[in-house]
Amino acid sequence: MEIHQLTYFVAVAETGSFTRAAERCNIAQPSLSQQIMKLEQELGEPLFDRLPRRVVLTDAGRMLLPRANSILAELQDIKHGLNEDVENGRGVLSVGFIPTIAPFVLPRVIKRFSQDCPLATLSVQEDLTEVLVREIIDGKLDVGSPVYRSTTN
Amino acid sequence: MEIHQLTYFVAVAETGSFTRAAERCNIAQPSLSQQIMKLEQELGEPLFDRLPRRVVLTDAGRMLLPRANSILAELQDIKHGLNEDVENGRGVLSVGFIPTIAPFVLPRVIKRFSQDCPLATLSVQEDLTEVLVREIIDGKLDVGSPVYRSTTN
DNA sequence: ACTTCTTACGCAATGCGTAAAGATA
DNA sequence: TATCTTTACGCATTGCGTAAGAAGT
């Protein structure tokens, strides 16, 4: 399992197409196909259902997506934050949530976290919690702490 | 930045030696040196101070370590959990902590998490919290939820 | 026919190993 | 001299691109 494979996987999942994902990743489409197949082979089951007109996630793919996003976001954080001041409680806590549990814990955990570490930044990755996170960002759900959603490059 | 580079980095950090890290990773020692140097080059600053008798983490290295562990643990979770039943609240929440904030939030977050998701498993990665986690595992600190520390292979 | 994914194949990049060289005690 | 890391260099793996094939609308 390699990082670029996770990148390609997320691109396919988000675009719903191998072709468009290849464009986004700036590689040839067969090369992307090849890497996705290797990933599926390593994990033991297909990640996408290849339908005639579009590509949709399988159950395994749906489970992988938030975790892949979390890992890619953490890598982003590393590149951004290593040279900068990540001291003095200004750290970045990167948390990946699983769909089932997110709605229950997320608001409370964020609130709790913001109370203990007001200067720290929280990074949340989970597709199904996107709406929730957006509400927080928009200020409809005040949690008292800076929250941002990492872009997946 | 590649996965195997993070693996090598963690091995060097934990063994305090390029030679022993290479043995653990089952590769030649110069090859490991090469990958560590590439990683340092990409991040823009050295990760280790090469002392005569041992190697120690630089500030940058200390910041990278918990994040690298977190990523590697997430990859482990993916491999373990994809085929299995990660539904019904039996999921694995993998959380990476930064040294400064861990002692404050960890116990409370774990307790809160266990209340909301009694069937879920919590995975914590941070070297400086190792003692804390061990106390929890040993039962001295009851949090009411299964906790395990992922091995970094 | 047109769009999209897969297969086939060759090249180029790179991770790894062996051997030699610094460096420090 | 012994231990440990770095440098040098060649090989083998593999990711990527181009071209052709397959399948569906």
Side-chain angles (χ1 to χ4, degrees), chain B residues 12 16 22 25 27 39 72 74 82 93 101-102 105 120 129 135 138:
Chain B
V12 174
C25 298
I27 66 169
L39 186 57
L72 295 176
E74 284 190 81
L82 254 199
L93 177 63
I101 65 176
V105 280
T129 63
E135 284 184 358
D138 292 343

Side-chain angles (χ1 to χ4, degrees), chain A residues 86-108:
Chain A
V86 197
E87 321 269 15
N88 314 322
R90 303 182 60 86
V92 177
L93 177 63
S94 183
V95 183
F97 274 92
I98 292 171
T100 324
I101 65 176
F104 301 101
V105 280
L106 203 47
R108 277 173 286 192

Side-chain angles (χ1 to χ4, degrees), chain B residues 75-148:
Chain B
L75 288 169
Q76 283 291 109
D77 291 343
I78 288 174
K79 287 195 127 178
H80 285 156
L82 254 199
N83 317 12
E84 305 163 15
D85 40 2
V86 197
E87 321 271 13
N88 314 323
R90 303 182 60 85
V92 177
L93 177 63
S94 183
V95 182
F97 274 92
I98 292 170
T100 325
I101 65 176
F104 301 102
V105 280
L106 201 49
R108 278 173 285 190
V109 165
I110 291 177
K111 187 130 197 162
R112 172 76 62 165
F113 175 75
S114 68
Q115 290 170 0
D116 295 328
C117 312
L119 291 180
T121 303
L122 191 59
S123 167
V124 180
Q125 299 86 35
E126 214 309 89
D127 276 30
L128 298 187
T129 63
E130 201 163 55
V131 177
L132 190 61
V133 171
R134 185 155 296 146
E135 284 184 358
I136 293 172
I137 293 176
D138 292 343
K140 297 176 183 174
L141 244 158
D142 181 30
V143 291
S145 173
V147 175
Y148 75 93

